[in-house]
Amino acid sequence: MVIVAGDIFDAQSAQFFEGYVEMENGIIVHAGRGAPPKAPDMRGTVLPLFFNWHTHVADIIARERIQKSGRKWTIEELVGPGGEKHRILEETRDAELVSAMCQAMWEMAHNGIGGFCDFREGGLHGAYLLNSALAGQKIGCMRMARPAKNAYDRAELDAILKISDGIGASAISDWDYSELKKVARHAKSEGKKFAIHASERVREDIGLVLDLKPDAIVHMTQGTDRDFAAVADAGLLVVVCPSSSKFFGMRPPVDKMLAAGVNVKLGTDNAMIASLDMFEEARALRSISSVNLIDSLRMCLSPTGNIFNGKNYSRSLSEGAPPEFMVLKGAVSSAGSKDVIGVFLGKYSGRR
């Protein structure tokens, strides 16, 4: 029996309470309020594991090269079609890419992240490599693949969708729209998810974006008040990535999104330019918006059920369920990933 005690965050009420959790064989036996029945094995602040809502984990292979370059990159130069990151990915051997993605997953898990949504480039082969990296991992992944080229190929899409959870497309500006619409319809017809980057570098027609029936939109940095109202009316969530946006000299207008009623989540985006650290992302968000500490943390959590549309937060302390929480030393108000002293994810437990 393992007992963890301390200030526990209840995501449903957004309140902390003094309590404890008893676990055995990767299952929560009991979760209660007040003092534990005996001395705990670990004490601290207990938070649900985070969900990283938007990643490109393979990009971590380019981290050292990009950081050492010392140059200021534009979106087009670094991550646009044919950009530097794509050249690096294409020239890297499969085994190195898989190893790099495993490293990224290890970093996330040790930073208190229990799941992530990855937009994987490279077509069918890229999707296979992501699955190879995920083999044996405890961390969960929503696998959003894409065609090798920005064009619709029915046979390729069929094969991709068999081994992924959906399609994570680049912006409509990168595509022949008629081709992109075929991709979106195909994904939906197979019961899979479709998500897309939108209005990151330049504003794009939100009507065209919404006509694709996406489950989620990433960035919307150049969106307008009318765009945000349309997104809110459609009931879609928008994933913002403040650290990545800052790298490119931009800032997502989060206060305007929230004022319009948009459901906003946080992601770290490209792994070579932003840390795989949701504490850091939440801190970056607070520095550019009026979002408070608790709300910024809730933007890092995963809902149950439909991962894109659900609004009920994961019950990480349910009795009879596997644990999905982290333990921090000190108060959450000043916490960072360096303060994570324990991660409990099913039968896996990591301690520092």
Side-chain angles (χ1 to χ4, degrees), residues 214-265:
D215 294 283
I217 300 173
V218 181
H219 294 309
M220 291 293 293
T221 315
Q222 308 301 328
T224 66
D225 291 347
R226 287 187 177 182
D227 294 340
F228 301 144
V231 171
D233 287 345
L236 298 179
L237 65 83
V238 171
V239 183
V240 298
C241 309
S243 297
S244 172
S245 294
K246 182 179 179 180
F247 180 89
F248 293 115
M250 301 179 295
R251 57 187 289 177
V254 175
D255 284 335
K256 289 185 177 182
M257 294 181 191
L258 294 173
V262 175
N263 182 14
V264 178
K265 296 295 185 182

Side-chain angles (χ1 to χ4, degrees), residues 47-53 112-115 264-268 277-283 285-286 293-303 313 326:
L47 292 179
L49 291 178
F50 290 147
F51 188 87
N52 191 342
W53 285 87
I113 297 170
V264 178
K265 296 295 185 182
L266 285 176
T268 59
D277 185 338
M278 297 302 284
F279 286 103
E280 188 172 310
E281 212 61 44
R283 192 156 39 244
L285 173 70
R286 296 195 298 273
L293 172 66
I294 296 301
D295 285 341
S296 70
L297 294 179
R298 294 185 79 177
M299 291 177 184
C300 300
L301 300 180
S302 169
Y313 292 94
M326 71 182 97

Side-chain angles (χ1 to χ4, degrees), residues 82-240:
E84 181 67 12
K85 91 150 192 179
H86 295 288
R87 288 192 287 271
I88 294 173
L89 290 174
E90 289 170 4
E91 71 186 28
T92 303
R93 293 181 303 173
D94 289 354
E96 291 179 79
L97 276 180
V98 171
S99 178
M101 287 189 280
C102 288
Q103 177 191 340
M105 294 172 201
W106 183 90
E107 284 188 22
M108 285 192 285
H110 282 73
N111 288 340
I113 297 170
F116 64 105
C117 179
D118 194 66
F119 277 35
R120 181 71 186 102
E121 295 96 349
L124 180 61
H125 186 65
Y128 272 123
L129 294 182
L130 176 59
N131 284 345
S132 295
L134 284 165
Q137 298 281 349
K138 300 300 181 183
I139 191 170
C141 180
M142 172 69 76
R143 304 160 300 164
M144 305 296 283
R146 67 176 62 168
K149 297 180 179 180
N150 290 349
Y152 175 68
D153 181 298
R154 175 177 291 276
E156 180 191 26
L157 258 290
D158 278 334
I160 287 174
L161 292 171
K162 284 180 181 178
I163 63 169
S164 66
D165 300 299
I167 299 297
S170 60
I172 61 173
S173 300
D174 301 333
W175 283 77
D176 175 315
Y177 185 74
S178 64
E179 292 288 285
L180 181 58
K181 197 159 191 175
K182 293 175 187 175
V183 171
R185 285 177 173 173
H186 191 148
K188 292 291 191 172
S189 71
E190 295 296 324
K192 298 297 180 91
K193 302 299 180 185
F194 178 80
I196 187 168
H197 296 78
S199 295
E200 180 183 15
R201 178 177 56 86
V202 296
R203 181 186 175 271
E204 294 163 320
D205 188 326
I206 194 62
L208 292 178
V209 174
L210 295 181
D211 280 348
L212 297 171
K213 302 293 189 294
D215 294 283
I217 300 173
V218 181
H219 294 309
M220 291 293 293
T221 315
Q222 308 301 328
T224 66
D225 291 347
R226 287 187 177 182
D227 294 340
F228 301 144
V231 171
D233 287 345
L236 298 179
L237 65 83
V238 171
V239 183
V240 298

